[in-house]
Amino acid sequence: MHGDPSQGEPCQRRPLLYGGGLRPVGALIGLVLAERERTAHRFESIGCWWWVFVLGAILAGLVGIPVLDLTIYGVTGTYSPGMASIFSGVLQILLIVKIAGFEVYPDWVCLGGLDGLIGAVLLIDPNLAAGWPLAGFGLCFALSALVRIWIGMTFRDADAFIWIGASGLVGLFLLAWFLAFVLTTDDIKLDLPMAAKLAVHADLTLRGMALMGFGLSLKSRNA
């Protein structure tokens, strides 16, 4: 007697399914390892750690300007939401271009560009009242966090993931908090702008601190 051929099909298909599911993971690991080799020489020039440290200090310091202005907004009426993100984006691009010299660090430049886009969205629609500004804000915020995680994974030296990658994870947490706040708030028109600004300011502050730590670790590596 011959067994039913259909009984063996699950056993034969399971390895194929496992193999198909592992291919994207293997491709991602290979891409990360290749990027680590390609970017291993970054931040090797003398004094570049100082510029990274200064960039972090400026990002953390920029947050104090809108926070202070927010407290006196009722008196002066001069608060401009999004300016901290725009300034930080421009500064990141300028300093990274200075550090990179004749090379281009596209992931770092992209990070600065995303900050600029976040600030532009908040300037165009501070209340995030329309659908596209809210979606654009969330998308840019998520991409900013993912780019930092990518940088942390693909730069093998100087404890990059401990500082930059962890900053990206914090960014995802802040985005999750923002979305939960949006879904649970009673007065979205009043609370949504404040939640967006708090998420941006907290992200910039913690990212500034992460860049300062990253800069100090670069100093130790290049010593």
Side-chain angles (χ1 to χ4, degrees), residues 32-67:
V32 168
L33 293 177
E35 189 69 8
R36 282 189 173 189
E37 292 300 321
R38 190 183 71 83
T39 61
H41 64 284
R42 287 183 176 180
F43 302 103
E44 288 184 341
S45 60
I46 299 175
C48 70
W49 72 269
W50 171 249
W51 290 110
V52 175
F53 183 87
V54 168
L55 175 60
I58 292 175
L59 291 188
L62 277 174
V63 178
I65 298 174
V67 169

Side-chain angles (χ1 to χ4, degrees), residues 108-218:
W108 287 86
V109 173
C110 178
L111 186 59
L114 288 169
D115 280 338
L117 288 176
I118 291 173
V121 169
L122 291 176
L123 280 178
I124 294 172
D125 188 356
N127 297 322
L128 299 178
W132 74 264
L134 179 59
F137 175 84
L139 178 62
C140 290
F141 206 104
L143 289 176
S144 174
L146 292 175
V147 169
R148 279 175 273 163
I149 293 174
W150 172 256
I151 291 173
M153 291 172 59
T154 55
F155 189 66
R156 65 183 180 183
D157 295 323
D159 299 325
F161 193 82
I162 294 176
W163 296 108
I164 309 300
S167 170
L169 294 176
V170 171
L172 291 179
F173 171 80
L174 289 171
L175 177 61
W177 170 83
F178 171 76
L179 295 176
F181 189 89
V182 170
L183 295 174
T184 58
T185 184
D186 295 327
D187 191 347
I188 192 169
K189 291 183 178 180
L190 177 63
D191 297 334
L192 181 57
M194 185 65 67
K197 293 159 194 170
L198 286 175
V200 169
H201 296 161
D203 186 59
L204 286 177
T205 301
L206 295 173
R207 192 193 318 174
M209 296 171 63
L211 284 172
M212 293 168 69
F214 181 59
L216 292 176
S217 66
L218 286 171

Side-chain angles (χ1 to χ4, degrees), residues 2-14:
H2 298 284
D4 189 355
S6 62
Q7 294 179 356
E9 290 182 1
C11 295
Q12 295 173 1
R13 291 178 180 176
R14 192 173 294 116

Side-chain angles (χ1 to χ4, degrees), residues 78-102:
T78 58
Y79 178 64
S80 299
M83 290 307 299
S85 289
I86 292 176
F87 285 150
S88 69
V90 172
L91 285 171
Q92 284 179 89
I93 292 174
L94 291 177
L95 289 181
I96 289 300
V97 169
K98 176 178 176 57
I99 292 172
F102 295 103

